[in-house]
Amino acid sequence: MIENLPVQKDSNGRSYFLAEDIQNAIIHASNEIEPNDGQVPSKNEHHACFHPQGIVSLPDSNESSDMILTESDHRNSLMIMNTLDLLQSQISRLERKLDSKLTDLYELEKTNSEVQDQILSKVSSMLVNTERLLTQTFELHEYTLPRLFIVLPEVAYQGINPATILSRYAHVRFRLYFLCECGDSHTRPLGPHQLNHIHIARHEGYEIRQPKEFFRKYGPHVLRLLQALKIGVRLASGFVLPVLSTMSAMDLPDKLVNDLDHKVMTCISYLTAFQTSIDDSVPELENGGTDITNGMDEEQYQLVPTDDYDNDEDMNDGLDPVSDDIFQIEGADLRRLSSFLKRKDHDRALGNLFRTVNQHGHVKWICMDHYHSTYHQRQDYDFEKEIRHYHGEFDKQLGIVRVNLTSSETIEPFLGAMSRASAFNELDLYMHHYAYHDLKLLGESLSRSNVSKLTLTCHDYRELASMGKRKLYAILKIMAAGKVRYFHFKNIKDLIPARGVDIPQELSTVRSLELTGISLKDGYETFETLLSACTHLAVLRMTDMSLKANHLTSVFNGLAKAHALTTLAFVNCEIEKAGAYKIPALVESLELLRDLDLGHTFLGDSVCREIIMAAGNKLERLSMPNTGFGNESAMALDRNVNGERLKYLDISGNVLASEARAYIIQSMSRLRHCTELMFPSIKEQADNTCATIVRGLNNEKLERLEIEHNDAGDETARAVARMLSDSAHSWTVLNTIKLELPKITLPGAQALGDALHGDCSVAKVSFNDSEVFRHDPSDLSSLRRLFTDICSRLTILELRNTSMSDKVASVLCEALQASDPVCRLVYLDIAENKLTPQGGEMVLKSLHHNRTLETLRIESGSFYKRGSMSSAARRLLEMNRTLRRLTISHVSLEELTLGLLHNEAKLKAIEVQHGDGQVNDIIDLLKPDRNLLRLVIKRTQICHDDRSLEHLAYMLKHNTTLLDLEWECPEGFDVENNVEQRLERNRELWSRDAVGPKAQDLLLALGMAPSTVRAISQGVERSGQ
């Protein structure tokens, strides 16, 4: 191949070729070369490798010359080209590095700029925070009381000279009301109108001492605020004082609702006249008595709109701001304010207000509603989700959280959420599987929370028995931290070891210690050391414990330094007789003891007598039900207790002979300050004795009255009726009344019914086993009035075995239906009467749409025929939505089951007597989704052979809710043990999960055998109380 290359000449006339021309020629030649013989190996065009025999190039004219390239020249050219490529790649690499460096420099410059901006921002923020901190520090010290308040008269004054009102009418009273300083910058809107501006706090106000001196000091300030409320003002800080006429849209204190406008106008007129009449030499507020309108035209402030309060922004429109200074009070003057007020709530903030700090560091006093709706909302919401996730319960009103953690894996996430929440102060925690690490984590979470009371139940400790001492060590760390002050430990196995635990010398922050189901075993000496460390202990409760003599000795020695102990309780404990005699000495040694609870702990009459003598008159609460309290104890109560301090007395469940009648009447007649009173059982002349005691309760402080397990009748009923209807006393404070009147007649019942009122939260009347309906009344109107009063005023009505006939039942049905909107009955017992199936069906029909009844007992042998109540019972279950416990007789089990399939009331307990059916008819009742706790089938043979019994056992295998089952089967079949094992498994599961609503379900299902109740009540509050 021949290529013509241009010949170049230098300044000396020498010829040469340009390397670029040679490179181009070679590239061109490599694209068109053809091999002479054989194949020529090649690669791509940039890395071609050729081996031709020769390339001929002939010279041309002077301007160009042909060059012959040999194979050697070709290799040299390739070497040159490779070198050029290498140089080019190095140049490109250097260029990329340069670009990278330039980019880095640009990023560095950008970063430096951002850092400078951040530094400037942080400096600015530090300056703002410093100013805010200085403001906060100053105002926290300066404004220790709410500074916005108004004063209003308790009555509206007319025709009285304001200048002479304080001297001539000194009996006239003024009340001070604090204002909530809410606002958009620091509180969340409340109510349907989303109101978020200054308003009067919900509080009864404070009566002002020495009003003349008060108004000399604070009159100008009060006057300015009242004028602001009269016209409506927007402050420069953004706060809004609304027009007085709009206050009716808010939750005002009850005493301010009436004549608010007139009271404010009267007070403004009075204060204006008073300011002009006082002596100028009398010291006033340091910022003087400037009127809010001084120096302002009518146009310089505008009335706040009164017809539209959808939001504060609309309310602020068109308002010219007024300086906050005219409403301020100097700190020294503010701190003297409380000396003028008659306070009843010395332990609480004035006016139920909370002191908070807004984003600018200013102290603001806001009401409880704004406080709870504003702070910690997100953390509390997350915590509520955790509670719901673990099927717990959150009582927001009381601030109590109850939750059950079934495994160690659930403990950590729950405690993490708990440590960030703040809307509760009491924790009731059950840990089924736990270890030392979990208790340690609990302590750390409690230290970051607001919990002040801890109730802890633990089941299975997942560490070696030799390491069990560590659980007490972890709990001692919680007690020593000082955050939690009230402790209740329940059913924690081997909590208190015999030795080997170093107990702190002082646990001064522990105020209350409660132990339930805790075994001391050989750890009583450790417990003594623990009690000795709690030098400021105020409450000690021991429940469901076995206490030997040496155990009580340790308690006695441990409480030697507990000079602040006010409450001592040994409830449902087993105490040795030798140890019981140590209790009187312990009671006598506790000088500040005010509450003694020995309920359901049998001590004997002589020990009870010694305890009462040791306590003397220092007790305010004495609880001794089912303790063996007898005649000697009654005599000691009469001779040693004058009744001036005692407010609570429970000696129920104890039987007194006739010798104690006079003592108990005299002692109870002296209880002038008693608020809760539970009568004992009296053997003879019970009706007259109870009536005499009731007639002696001449006070208006009684809140709870229980007369049970006595043969009381008409005389007691009439005495209670006179007490309730006595116009000289107000019985509105009575919230619990329980009466058992087995000797009552219809006239006595009518007298009681006329006097009952519907204010009691628990109102029980029992006519069980009486002859109140022995004869059908001729006048049904009085009977109708009795039942109407009972249905609208009682919550529990017992009419078992009262000879009720269909005629009487028809009047009861009319009353149930007529009083439906106001019916309060939750428990109705009309069992074992003279009702026919038609009468029973009539009663069930009247309850189809009842909205309150939860328990119904209507079993009776008078229904006589199996299955006679089937259709009525089925319709009741299909229609009623509130029934939780049903006891009925003479029904078909198949019809009962069909009714339950459509029932939405979620029955927890069913008892059937004289039923008709077999085990196949109740299969649906045993399904897990029915959630039955108790199923009792009496006088009904549902199992006839081994196959039916095996079928029953199989159904129970898949049921995890049923706790109690009773049925009848032929003799000789032995599967009862198998069935009982299934139930015991369910009871254990239920006990583990029994918190919150499930505990209420147990109470609704009461009626089961005592052994069953004990089996299920482990880890649950005593259900029998």
Side-chain angles (χ1 to χ4, degrees):
M1 177 177 288
I2 299 175
E3 289 287 341
N4 293 324
L5 300 179
V7 179
Q8 307 294 333
K9 294 184 180 293
D10 59 9
S11 57
N12 297 324
R14 288 177 296 190
S15 300
Y16 64 91
F17 295 101
L18 292 176
E20 182 180 359
D21 294 338
I22 297 173
Q23 182 181 8
N24 292 336
I26 294 173
I27 293 174
H28 182 263
S30 63
N31 291 333
E32 299 183 2
I33 190 168
E34 295 181 358
N36 292 332
D37 43 20
Q39 296 182 349
V40 179
S42 63
K43 295 183 180 180
N44 58 45
E45 62 178 348
H46 297 290
H47 302 282
C49 182
F50 303 104
H51 302 281
Q53 294 181 353
I55 299 177
V56 181
S57 178
L58 300 177
D60 199 359
S61 63
N62 294 334
E63 296 179 358
S64 63
S65 177
D66 296 333
M67 182 182 66
I68 300 176
L69 298 177
T70 64
E71 183 177 357
S72 176
D73 295 333
H74 180 66
R75 285 197 299 269
N76 293 335
S77 298
L78 288 176
M79 186 180 301
I80 293 173
M81 189 170 64
N82 291 337
T83 302
L84 292 175
D85 289 341
L86 180 61
L87 291 174
Q88 184 65 35
S89 64
Q90 291 177 349
I91 293 173
S92 299
R93 189 163 56 252
L94 291 174
E95 289 178 348
R96 287 195 298 270
K97 288 184 178 181
L98 180 61
D99 291 341
S100 176
K101 294 294 184 182
L102 291 175
T103 302
D104 292 343
L105 289 174
Y106 173 76
E107 292 295 332
L108 182 60
E109 183 180 0
K110 183 179 178 180
T111 302
N112 289 336
S113 177
E114 292 177 353
V115 170
Q116 290 178 357
D117 292 339
Q118 291 177 1
I119 292 174
L120 292 176
S121 176
K122 288 184 177 180
V123 170
S124 177
S125 177
M126 290 175 63
L127 292 175
V128 172
N129 289 336
T130 302
E131 182 179 359
R132 183 183 306 165
L133 181 60
L134 292 174
T135 301
Q136 177 177 331
T137 303
F138 170 76
E139 294 194 4
L140 285 174
H141 176 268
E142 192 76 358
Y143 302 132
T144 56
L145 296 176
R147 59 188 181 276
L148 294 185
F149 55 86
I150 60 174
V151 175
L152 298 175
E154 289 197 355
V155 295
Y157 304 110
Q158 297 181 1
I160 299 176
N161 183 0
T164 60
I165 191 173
L166 292 178
S167 58
R168 295 176 54 188
Y169 301 90
H171 63 281
V172 175
R173 293 178 295 182
F174 290 83
R175 298 192 79 84
L176 181 144
Y177 302 92
F178 287 103
L179 304 181
C180 170
E181 304 176 40
C182 54
D184 286 339
S185 63
H186 55 285
T187 57
R188 296 165 61 94
L190 288 178
H193 299 287
Q194 296 291 289
L195 297 178
N196 201 20
H197 49 70
I198 293 177
H199 64 90
I200 302 176
R202 286 188 60 82
H203 190 271
E204 63 181 2
Y206 300 94
E207 183 180 343
I208 297 176
R209 298 191 185 101
Q210 303 175 333
K212 186 173 182 179
E213 288 75 10
F214 175 84
F215 285 123
R216 285 177 179 270
K217 190 71 177 175
Y218 301 102
H221 177 72
V222 176
L223 181 59
R224 289 193 296 270
L225 283 172
L226 289 175
Q227 289 171 335
L229 288 173
K230 175 185 174 183
I231 62 176
V233 172
R234 179 166 61 88
L235 304 182
S237 62
F239 280 2
V240 174
L241 289 174
V243 177
L244 183 64
S245 59
T246 66
M247 283 289 197
S248 58
M250 306 184 65
D251 286 332
L252 290 173
D254 296 335
K255 292 185 178 181
L256 292 184
V257 175
N258 299 325
D259 299 328
L260 179 60
D261 291 330
H262 186 67
K263 288 180 180 180
V264 171
M265 294 302 299
T266 300
C267 204
I268 290 177
S269 301
Y270 164 72
L271 287 175
T272 303
F274 183 79
Q275 291 300 310
T276 59
S277 64
I278 60 176
D279 188 351
D280 295 337
S281 63
V282 177
E284 301 178 4
L285 295 178
E286 297 182 12
N287 55 354
T290 307
D291 193 305
I292 185 176
T293 58
N294 282 358
M296 298 175 59
D297 338 7
E298 186 67 23
E299 297 180 355
Q300 283 186 285
Y301 59 83
Q302 302 180 21
L303 293 181
V304 178
T306 62
D307 55 349
D308 186 6
Y309 273 84
D310 290 339
N311 55 63
D312 285 345
E313 293 180 0
D314 295 338
M315 188 166 55
N316 291 341
D317 292 343
L319 292 177
D320 293 331
V322 177
S323 173
D324 293 39
D325 295 339
I326 65 173
F327 297 116
Q328 301 297 332
I329 302 181
E330 297 297 332
D333 293 322
L334 188 63
R335 286 188 287 273
R336 288 194 292 267
L337 177 63
S338 61
S339 63
F340 289 96
L341 306 181
K342 292 183 179 180
R343 297 187 59 184
K344 299 179 182 179
D345 52 355
H346 295 280
D347 57 335
R348 299 167 61 186
L350 282 172
N352 289 336
L353 298 180
F354 292 82
R355 186 169 64 166
T356 62
V357 179
N358 69 2
Q359 58 184 353
H360 303 295
H362 295 291
V363 169
K364 303 296 178 185
W365 289 83
I366 61 177
C367 65
M368 184 181 301
D369 293 334
H370 274 107
Y371 179 82
H372 287 307
S373 67
T374 301
Y375 292 93
H376 313 294
Q377 293 293 311
R378 184 62 187 175
Q379 293 86 343
D380 295 342
Y381 175 73
D382 293 340
F383 184 51
E384 288 183 37
K385 288 200 302 183
E386 289 289 330
I387 295 174
R388 289 193 297 270
H389 177 69
Y390 298 114
H391 307 289
E393 182 185 24
F394 184 15
D395 188 334
K396 293 184 179 180
Q397 183 177 3
L398 300 178
I400 302 176
V401 171
R402 300 181 180 91
V403 70
N404 181 349
L405 304 179
T406 58
S407 65
S408 298
E409 291 75 16
T410 61
I411 294 177
E412 186 169 353
F414 172 80
L415 294 180
M418 184 191 78
S419 63
R420 297 186 295 271
S422 62
F424 73 106
N425 51 38
E426 183 174 339
L427 175 63
D428 188 343
L429 178 63
Y430 182 103
M431 295 193 297
H432 187 67
H433 300 292
Y434 73 107
Y436 169 76
H437 170 74
D438 300 319
L439 293 176
K440 182 180 178 182
L441 186 61
L442 173 62
E444 295 173 354
S445 299
L446 289 172
S447 66
R448 297 191 295 269
S449 70
N450 293 327
V451 174
S452 59
K453 180 177 180 179
L454 171 65
T455 299
L456 181 62
T457 307
C458 300
H459 184 262
D460 185 13
Y461 189 63
R462 305 302 293 270
E463 291 186 1
L464 297 175
S466 59
M467 304 179 67
K469 299 176 183 178
R470 299 211 301 170
K471 69 178 74 171
L472 179 60
Y473 175 73
I475 288 176
L476 288 173
K477 290 191 66 176
I478 298 176
M479 299 174 71
K483 190 76 172 182
V484 183
R485 298 189 173 195
Y486 308 94
F487 296 90
H488 187 182
F489 302 114
K490 300 168 62 176
N491 303 302
I492 304 178
K493 185 178 180 181
D494 300 329
L495 174 64
I496 304 177
R499 59 187 66 84
V501 178
D502 294 331
I503 297 178
Q505 293 184 354
E506 188 172 357
L507 298 172
S508 58
T509 60
V510 177
R511 296 292 182 268
S512 174
L513 179 60
E514 301 181 48
L515 304 178
T516 298
I518 303 296
S519 176
L520 294 182
K521 288 186 178 179
D522 298 326
Y524 54 91
E525 294 180 351
T526 303
F527 186 60
E528 177 182 336
T529 307
L530 174 61
L531 288 179
S532 300
C534 301
T535 54
H536 292 81
L537 191 67
V539 177
L540 175 62
R541 287 185 174 275
M542 305 176 73
T543 306
D544 298 334
M545 297 178 63
S546 177
L547 300 174
K548 298 180 180 180
N550 51 359
H551 298 167
L552 285 172
T553 301
S554 297
V555 173
F556 187 96
N557 296 336
L559 294 178
K561 299 180 181 179
H563 303 298
L565 195 73
T566 60
T567 300
L568 177 65
F570 299 103
V571 179
N572 198 34
C573 293
E574 296 181 5
I575 298 180
E576 290 182 346
K577 188 174 182 179
Y581 281 97
K582 297 180 180 295
I583 298 179
L586 175 61
V587 171
E588 186 176 8
S589 66
L590 301 172
E591 297 181 359
L592 297 181
L593 187 65
R594 297 294 179 265
D595 186 348
L596 179 61
D597 188 354
L598 303 171
H600 309 282
T601 300
F602 186 82
L603 302 171
D605 192 16
S606 59
V607 176
C608 291
R609 178 199 63 201
E610 296 296 326
I611 292 174
I612 293 173
M613 294 175 61
N617 289 310
K618 64 184 177 182
L619 293 181
E620 295 179 358
R621 294 174 58 90
L622 176 60
S623 179
M624 304 182 77
N626 298 294
T627 55
F629 183 102
N631 296 347
E632 295 181 12
S633 304
M635 183 177 9
L637 185 67
D638 177 38
R639 295 180 177 179
N640 294 275
V641 180
N642 59 25
E644 290 299 322
R645 177 172 287 180
L646 198 63
K647 298 179 180 179
Y648 178 103
L649 177 61
D650 183 1
I651 50 177
S652 60
N654 299 297
V655 181
L656 301 183
S658 57
E659 294 83 2
R661 180 175 180 271
Y663 299 127
I664 205 69
I665 291 175
Q666 293 175 13
S667 60
M668 288 192 172
S669 65
R670 294 195 298 267
L671 302 179
R672 294 297 178 181
H673 302 284
C674 188
T675 60
E676 299 181 67
L677 181 60
M678 281 63 74
F679 281 37
S681 298
I682 301 172
K683 282 184 178 181
E684 301 177 2
Q685 299 180 329
D687 192 21
N688 178 262
T689 303
C690 293
T692 304
I693 295 173
V694 171
R695 286 192 288 267
L697 299 175
N698 186 20
N699 66 81
E700 54 185 24
K701 298 181 180 180
L702 198 62
E703 299 176 4
R704 180 180 176 185
L705 176 64
E706 296 184 10
I707 306 176
E708 297 182 301
H709 309 296
N710 278 292
D711 287 337
D714 287 352
E715 195 173 352
T716 302
R718 290 191 174 94
V720 173
R722 282 194 295 270
M723 179 188 73
L724 295 176
S725 58
D726 188 358
S727 58
H729 298 89
S730 173
W731 296 98
T732 56
V733 296
L734 189 67
N735 56 47
T736 299
I737 182 169
K738 295 182 179 181
L739 304 175
E740 290 186 2
L741 306 168
K743 300 299 182 181
I744 198 169
T745 63
L746 185 57
Q750 290 173 339
L752 179 63
D754 292 337
L756 289 172
H757 55 77
D759 297 329
C760 295
S761 58
V762 177
K764 170 189 172 182
V765 171
S766 173
F767 297 154
N768 285 351
D769 302 318
S770 70
E771 297 183 352
V772 63
F773 304 125
R774 181 178 180 181
H775 303 290
D776 288 343
S778 57
D779 182 11
L780 295 182
S781 60
S782 59
L783 183 62
R784 186 175 294 107
R785 187 176 70 253
L786 169 63
F787 281 138
T788 302
D789 292 338
I790 284 177
C791 292
S792 60
R793 298 173 183 177
L794 294 183
T795 58
I796 301 173
L797 176 61
E798 296 180 350
L799 300 173
R800 172 185 289 270
N801 193 23
T802 56
S803 302
M804 178 185 291
S805 64
D806 287 0
K807 185 177 181 180
V808 175
S810 65
V811 181
L812 174 61
C813 293
E814 291 178 13
L816 285 170
Q817 293 176 321
S819 64
D820 182 62
V822 292
C823 183
R824 303 183 65 226
L825 281 178
V826 296
Y827 184 102
L828 176 62
D829 184 355
I830 55 174
E832 303 302 335
N833 281 295
K834 296 180 179 180
L835 296 178
T836 65
Q838 291 75 21
E841 183 175 354
M842 180 173 50
V843 173
L844 295 182
K845 185 177 180 180
S846 68
L847 297 172
H848 282 181
H849 302 288
N850 185 279
R851 294 175 291 182
T852 60
L853 197 66
E854 295 182 351
T855 300
L856 174 64
R857 300 185 64 97
I858 193 173
E859 73 275 18
S860 177
S862 62
F863 295 148
Y864 63 83
K865 184 179 179 181
R866 294 180 185 270
S868 60
M869 297 289 292
S870 299
S871 59
R874 175 179 175 178
R875 286 194 296 272
L876 173 68
L877 294 176
E878 291 175 346
M879 301 294 292
N880 188 275
R881 297 292 180 267
T882 61
L883 208 59
R884 308 292 296 278
R885 177 187 173 197
L886 174 64
T887 302
I888 196 168
S889 65
H890 298 84
V891 295
S892 165
L893 298 181
E894 182 180 4
E895 290 284 327
L896 187 69
T897 301
L898 291 175
L900 283 172
L901 292 179
H902 299 89
N903 177 263
E904 298 181 8
K906 299 180 181 178
L907 261 72
K908 298 300 179 184
I910 301 175
E911 181 175 330
V912 178
Q913 297 186 19
H914 300 288
D916 181 25
Q918 298 181 2
V919 67
N920 291 333
D921 297 324
I922 64 170
I923 293 304
D924 286 328
L925 298 182
L926 299 178
K927 290 182 178 179
D929 57 351
R930 298 310 306 166
N931 292 320
L932 273 180
L933 295 180
R934 184 170 190 248
L935 176 60
V936 177
I937 303 176
K938 295 182 177 179
R939 301 177 180 90
T940 304
Q941 189 169 301
I942 61 173
C943 297
H944 300 278
D945 49 27
D946 286 332
R947 183 176 180 181
S948 59
L949 288 171
E950 290 173 359
H951 192 30
L952 176 63
Y954 175 79
M955 291 304 300
L956 288 174
K957 179 180 180 180
H958 299 281
N959 180 290
T960 58
T961 59
L962 198 65
L963 305 175
D964 193 25
L965 174 64
E966 294 182 24
W967 80 100
E968 292 183 3
C969 64
E971 296 182 0
F973 295 96
D974 188 19
V975 295
E976 184 174 354
N977 291 334
N978 187 19
V979 172
E980 185 62 25
Q981 290 176 2
R982 304 293 185 193
L983 296 178
E984 287 295 341
R985 174 206 60 187
N986 291 354
R987 290 167 190 167
E988 181 180 355
L989 293 174
W990 196 95
S991 170
R992 185 187 69 189
D993 299 331
V995 294
K998 294 203 68 176
Q1000 298 300 322
D1001 292 339
L1002 174 62
L1003 296 178
L1004 289 171
L1006 278 180
M1008 56 187 67
S1011 59
T1012 304
V1013 175
R1014 286 194 297 271
I1016 1 181
S1017 63
Q1018 295 300 320
V1020 189
E1021 295 297 335
R1022 293 181 66 253
S1023 60
Q1025 294 181 350

